[in-house]
Every structure is written in structure tokens, then in C-alpha cells.
Amino acid sequence: MENQLFRKEVTIMKQKLALALSALLLGSYAACKAPGPSLSEGNDGLTTLVENFLTPAAAEAKKKTKEEKRKEKEEKQKEKQRQAHYIYLFSDDGFNYYLDGEISCHTYPPVGYEKLIDVWIKILPIGVAPETEVLDHQTYYLQHYLLYPKNDQIMFLSELEVDGRPDNDIQERPYDTRNWENLIPGSLEENIYRECMKRQKKLKQRGDKKSAVKTAGDFLEDTLRISL
């Protein structure tokens, strides 16, 4: 027991001596750098010793801090851009559903003046990054819907099963008011509608009342530069 107490006291003494020595070095260094010949005279060796000890470490620490802050800022900016492009909606049956925030928009029907929301949904296996445009040997899906907020209705336009890069042989339903569907509670369409409506304020207004809804061909030409 006495030996343990003795070792503990010795450890505490060493820590106190280390702190005292650090304070002495820093104090002497500050005094050496202060104006007046009487403070710095005869202390050139100590000044050089302390500068050699402190300056490289301080400069390296400052450099690391700036680099870390720069990287952190870049990562935050990338994440902000990614989240603005692909807006996470929900997960279901092994897939994540994302709203494409760049191409989806508030719009109007080809005929009529009721406001609609034109949405493209990217469906990816859980674990696959949504910003990946071309996935080698990986199947994912793109779904195109119109949302009719006034009547709580949805219109399915097309679905693309994609393996790598989308082909240009797309079949899409034309806009037809007879294709509006009422929401069925608990259905996938209701989930898509509700989650998109929660985030619809993030979408841009495109065109005016004379603008037509974007087709699958428009989408691919705008986003992937594939002309039909």
C-alpha cells in the first residue's frame, strides 16, 4: 500500500514539474520577445530553443486546422448539393425512393389551369448512392408521376427499368384526365404522393400555364442528354 501511495505521489510530482517547466519556458519566451534590451539581452539561446520547439508544432497544428476546415466545408457543400438534387423520401422492400429535385417541378397540364406537380422518382437498392448516374451491372428504376394537389390524385406516366444507362425506347402514357387515380390508403402510390407533397416547396416552378408536362423523352434529354 505504501509503495502504491509513493508511486502515485511521484507521478503527481512529475506532472507538476512538467507543467511548471512548460510555464517557465513560455514565460521566458514571452519575456525575451517583449520590448526593451534588459528583457531580451543574454537570452538569445533560450529564445532560439523555445522558438525551435514551439514554432514548427504550432505552424503544423494551424495548417492541419485550416486543411480540416476546408475539407469539412467542401464535404458539407457536396452533401448540400446532393440532398438538393436527390431528396430522400422513404425506404420500402429493400429500396430507397428519392425525389429528383432538379427535374421535378410545379407545372400546369397541357390543357387547363390547375396546378400540378411533375415528379421523377429514382428507386435504388439500399446502399447504392443516389448521385450515381451510371451503375455498372446494377438495376434501378425511374418512375414518372403527376400529382394533383387540389383533388389528392396521382397519375402514373411511365417506369423505366435501367441497367447502367437508360435506353431511348421509352413508352410513356400521354396526358389524359381520365388517368387520374384516387389514392388508396397504404398503397405505394399514396406513400409517394404524401412524401412528395411534404417536400414540394423545395421544387421550382417551371414554365407558365401554356407549358406542357415533361415527357420521359424530355427528362432524358435534359438530364442524360439522350435524344429520342
Side-chain angles (χ1 to χ4, degrees):
M1 179 66 72
E2 291 180 357
N3 289 336
Q4 291 179 351
L5 290 174
F6 177 74
R7 286 196 294 270
K8 185 176 182 180
E9 289 177 358
V10 169
T11 301
I12 294 173
M13 289 273 294
K14 288 181 178 179
Q15 292 174 346
K16 289 183 177 180
L17 284 172
L19 290 172
L21 180 59
S22 298
L24 179 61
L25 286 171
L26 291 171
S28 300
Y29 177 67
C32 292
K33 301 303 287 184
S38 60
L39 292 174
S40 60
E41 186 177 357
N43 288 315
D44 291 341
L46 179 60
T47 301
T48 302
L49 175 65
V50 176
E51 283 182 341
N52 290 339
F53 177 74
L54 293 178
T55 304
E60 185 65 22
K62 188 175 182 181
K63 181 180 178 181
K64 285 184 178 179
T65 302
K66 285 185 176 181
E67 184 68 15
E68 288 171 357
K69 287 182 177 179
R70 184 186 66 79
K71 288 183 178 180
E72 184 179 352
K73 186 177 180 181
E74 287 181 355
E75 289 299 322
K76 286 183 177 180
Q77 186 65 23
K78 288 180 181 178
E79 180 64 16
K80 185 177 179 181
Q81 291 174 352
R82 186 190 71 79
Q83 291 182 358
H85 188 175
Y86 297 105
I87 305 169
Y88 174 77
L89 298 178
F90 60 90
S91 299
D92 181 78
D93 197 24
F95 289 89
N96 286 332
Y97 286 68
Y98 296 90
L99 172 65
D100 191 315
E102 288 192 356
I103 196 66
S104 301
C105 63
H106 295 272
T107 187
Y108 295 91
V111 178
Y113 300 98
E114 298 290 349
K115 289 185 178 180
L116 306 177
I117 303 176
D118 185 357
V119 299
W120 280 88
I121 309 298
K122 193 169 189 176
I123 307 170
L124 294 150
I126 292 175
V128 178
E131 61 270 22
T132 305
E133 293 298 341
V134 179
L135 308 173
D136 293 331
H137 309 295
Q138 177 66 68
T139 300
Y140 65 101
Y141 302 89
L142 291 170
Q143 291 182 344
H144 189 196
Y145 293 94
L146 287 178
L147 311 183
Y148 192 0
K150 183 178 179 180
N151 290 351
D152 275 348
Q153 291 179 315
I154 190 169
M155 183 187 296
F156 172 79
L157 295 178
S158 65
E159 178 179 76
L160 288 72
E161 183 175 351
V162 183
D163 184 8
R165 183 179 294 276
D167 295 324
N168 59 358
D169 54 342
I170 300 166
Q171 299 294 325
E172 185 165 70
R173 296 168 70 182
Y175 177 85
D176 190 329
T177 55
R178 293 172 295 182
N179 291 333
W180 286 115
E181 301 175 14
N182 295 321
L183 300 175
I184 299 176
S187 66
L188 180 62
E189 287 76 13
E190 187 207 23
N191 208 4
I192 290 174
Y193 179 90
R194 301 295 181 200
E195 294 302 321
C196 286
M197 288 303 298
K198 290 177 184 177
R199 299 159 177 82
Q200 53 93 12
K201 290 184 179 179
K202 297 180 180 180
L203 303 180
K204 299 176 182 178
Q205 173 71 50
R206 289 207 173 105
D208 52 27
K209 294 181 180 180
K210 296 180 181 179
S211 299
V213 173
K214 281 185 178 291
T215 65
D218 296 330
F219 171 78
L220 292 181
E221 189 167 359
D222 288 347
T223 59
L224 303 175
R225 300 298 182 263
I226 297 176
S227 299
L228 302 183

